[in-house]
Amino acid sequence: LERGGIRCRTGFYREWRRMMWERGCFDSIFNLVGAIRAEPTTMQDVGLYYDEEVSDMLWEATSALRGMLAVTLLYGFEERLFAFSEQLCNAVPCKITAETYPYVFVAPLDQCKTVAEYLNFAKDEKGMLEGVKMPLCSTKKSAMLQGNLRCDGKI
């Protein structure tokens, strides 16, 4: 594109990969949190009023990305996603459908504990995602170490 005179942003493939996972986290988590609400909710509403739920899920997703795919989202991803939802998504309704489920909730996003709980709630309580096999809500402790631990387990 750039050689053809079309203005576009260029970057290293790792940057592109990070940006795509950032957008994937936005599409899946913001839609999931908004879709399970009783009243119709937009992506902007999710960014403004349900920030704690979204933030917890985003951090779970980033841990899963680091552990499974060796991808680390760039510093400030939370602020970028919330700003994007607040500025550009005021008329975008939150929805999750059975048709888009396999493309939006891919591993490792569907294996995050809170995301799995919300997905099961959406299916069991809200009647969404009919005919879709849901991830199990695991109660076992994750093998991923949390916090700033050295390899010997001492802080």
Side-chain angles (χ1 to χ4, degrees):
L1 293 174
E2 188 176 28
R3 280 183 261 156
I6 298 172
R7 291 185 52 169
C8 64
R9 182 177 172 191
T10 59
F12 194 54
Y13 77 96
R14 286 188 199 135
E15 302 299 321
W16 178 85
R17 191 174 181 207
R18 286 181 178 126
M19 287 185 282
M20 292 302 106
W21 274 111
E22 196 171 287
R23 180 59 194 240
C25 289
F26 175 80
D27 289 337
S28 59
I29 292 172
F30 276 71
N31 273 307
L32 178 61
V33 170
I36 64 166
R37 304 292 163 204
E39 66 280 347
T41 308
T42 65
M43 300 282 259
Q44 183 182 43
D45 294 337
V46 173
L48 291 172
Y49 305 116
Y50 304 108
D51 55 331
E52 288 182 18
E53 292 173 59
V54 171
S55 183
D56 291 343
M57 285 188 196
L58 286 172
W59 281 104
E60 268 186 44
T62 58
S63 291
L65 285 168
R66 274 195 312 271
M68 292 179 71
L69 300 175
V71 174
T72 303
L73 298 183
L74 295 175
Y75 179 78
F77 72 94
E78 256 184 313
E79 290 81 14
R80 277 192 303 280
L81 296 182
F82 283 114
F84 182 74
S85 74
E86 292 168 11
Q87 294 172 3
L88 301 173
C89 299
N90 60 344
V92 180
C94 295
K95 62 182 176 185
I96 52 174
T97 63
E99 293 80 26
T100 60
Y101 174 83
Y103 307 107
V104 176
F105 292 97
V106 295
L109 298 180
D110 66 343
Q111 297 171 14
C112 298
K113 182 182 177 196
T114 311
V115 172
E117 289 172 357
Y118 273 62
L119 286 170
N120 282 288
F121 177 80
K123 184 174 183 178
D124 298 339
E125 303 294 325
K126 298 292 185 177
M128 300 174 177
L129 303 169
E130 290 299 320
V132 175
K133 186 177 182 229
M134 288 290 115
L136 298 175
C137 294
S138 175
T139 56
K140 72 176 186 173
K141 187 170 168 67
S142 172
M144 293 273 305
L145 294 177
Q146 300 295 319
N148 189 16
L149 300 175
R150 299 183 331 197
C151 63
D152 60 1
K154 295 181 182 176
I155 298 178

